[in-house]
């Protein structure tokens, strides 16, 4: 499952992405005919993964497998996202990295309005 449609921009410190699938009736995180805002945490985690993959590719390597181990300071500013017209945009910024782990802050927006924000940590395994 990949929730992001487009990478808007990225560099060594972070990434910006866009998704339009939150209104899809077949969305993989849809339950009871809606996509709850907590799904935005998965969008944030996937932004981390896409950024890690692009960093590894730029160094002609392969991204290490990661496991999301912590979400902190998550704030959800909406109840659901399936009723939002247009694209959702997200950004993730790398705040700490080692061979064993990565930490990011993430923010998700719709038409300039903040939908969610938080911090996420992933433990990394061998590439």
């Amino acid at each position: 499952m990949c929730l992001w449609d487009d990478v808007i921009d990225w560099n060594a410190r972070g990434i910006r992405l866009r998704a339009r699938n939150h209104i899809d009736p077949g969305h993989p995180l849809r339950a009871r005919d809606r996509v709850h805002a907590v799904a935005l945490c998965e969008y944030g985690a996937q932004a981390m993964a896409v950024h890690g993959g692009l960093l590894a590719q730029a160094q002609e390597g392969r991204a290490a497998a990661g496991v999301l181990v912590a979400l902190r300071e998550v704030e959800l500013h909406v109840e659901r996202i399936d009723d939002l017209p247009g694209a959702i945009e997200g950004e993730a910024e790398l705040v700490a990295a080692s061979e064993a782990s990565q930490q990011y802050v993430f923010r998700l927006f719709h038409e300039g309005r903040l939908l969610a924000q938080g911090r996420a940590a992933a433990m990394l395994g061998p590439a």
Side-chain angles (χ1 to χ4, degrees):
M1 165 181 70
C2 183
L3 297 175
W4 293 109
D5 295 320
D6 305 304
V7 173
I8 299 168
D9 190 27
W10 74 279
N11 59 37
R13 295 294 301 159
I15 190 166
R16 290 182 41 230
L17 308 105
R18 181 180 301 120
R20 296 170 198 84
N21 58 12
H22 57 285
I23 60 172
D24 183 347
H27 192 286
L29 300 177
R30 183 176 286 272
R32 296 189 185 119
D33 202 34
R34 59 176 53 184
V35 181
H36 191 277
V38 75
L40 293 167
C41 293
E42 178 65 21
Y43 282 85
Q46 287 194 16
M48 294 170 55
V50 172
H51 186 250
L54 289 170
L55 287 174
Q57 185 178 23
Q59 297 174 356
E60 298 184 17
R62 185 167 181 227
V67 176
L68 183 66
V69 295
L71 290 169
R72 296 192 186 335
E73 302 170 11
V74 172
E75 296 178 18
L76 303 174
H77 302 285
V78 294
E79 288 187 32
R80 58 193 286 191
I81 60 172
D82 57 284
D83 59 348
L84 301 174
I88 290 175
E89 291 192 3
E91 55 189 38
E93 181 183 343
L94 182 62
V95 293
S98 71
E99 288 187 23
S101 66
Q102 293 178 332
Q103 294 181 37
Y104 282 80
V105 294
F106 63 88
R107 289 172 292 280
L108 298 120
F109 301 89
H110 177 261
E111 297 180 352
R113 176 183 173 207
L114 182 63
L115 301 175
Q117 60 190 7
R119 297 175 61 89
M123 297 300 294
L124 304 176

